[in-house]
Amino acid sequence: MTGDEAVAPPDFETALLSLRGHRMRPELHLEEVPAPTRIAPYALALTGEVNAAPRTMDPDALLGHGRFVVLHDPAGQEAWHGTFRVIVLAKARLEAELGADPLLGEVGWTWLTDALTDAGAGYHHLSGTVTRVLSETFGGLELRGGEVEIEVRASWTPTTPDLGPHLKAWAALTCQAAGLEPLPENVTSLNRRH
């Protein structure tokens, strides 16, 4: 968290507390990382990795990853139309036929808006991009074959300092981009036994 933690504004404290204690899918591992320091006086950043084998950091099991950033400026920022801004990234490899789908951008954006709606996250001034990256390999890398990735980047202004629903929406987006089926409400994913 950037800013002076001893004198953090009450709204930022409320926002931080609202991010604690949420149960996430076992395939998603969250970690706090250094937050941006120049954009807002107060900030928090989390990264998330989605792994095929829950609770592992095995790079071969990595399905996708993302970043969740909360910015707070008690004075507000004109571009935000508020005092908070949530910035997210979700990135994952896709199967080649999905990467060729001309509607992939719209599908990726729908994953985000549906996740926000399903989580009950109130927001306004939503903006972002969905990018598809097609990589071809040559020379010594030809053994790996080509790769297709999707990257969803977005930001929005939350309507309240309760950011728990926003964290849940980002987690759902990141897991869906990584190819995990959405879980119905009140259903918990069970770990696979090997």
Side-chain angles (χ1 to χ4, degrees), residues 8-106:
D11 278 353
F12 191 64
E13 288 292 332
T14 299
L16 293 180
L17 290 172
S18 74
L19 295 173
R20 293 187 180 166
H22 297 282
R23 288 187 68 172
M24 300 292 171
R25 294 180 72 141
E27 300 93 346
L28 179 64
H29 173 78
L30 299 180
E31 185 176 322
E32 187 173 350
V33 295
T37 57
R38 296 184 179 155
I39 304 171
Y42 301 93
L44 170 83
L46 301 172
T47 60
E49 285 192 358
V50 181
N51 289 283
R55 309 207 195 296
T56 181
M57 299 300 286
D58 178 5
D60 291 333
L62 182 67
L63 299 174
H65 61 94
R67 189 170 171 104
F68 179 86
V69 177
V70 176
L71 303 175
H72 179 58
D73 186 341
Q77 292 197 15
E78 188 176 329
W80 301 353
H81 300 275
T83 59
F84 280 95
R85 193 75 176 165
V86 173
I87 302 168
V88 299
L89 162 73
K91 189 173 183 178
R93 276 183 281 171
L94 297 175
E95 295 176 14
E97 51 279 358
L98 287 175
D101 186 338
L103 298 176
L104 181 62
E106 291 176 39

Side-chain angles (χ1 to χ4, degrees), residues 155-178:
S155 67
W156 61 84
T157 300
T159 56
T160 72
D162 178 6
L163 300 182
H166 301 268
L167 178 65
K168 289 180 183 178
W170 167 75
L173 165 67
T174 304
C175 289
Q176 190 162 14

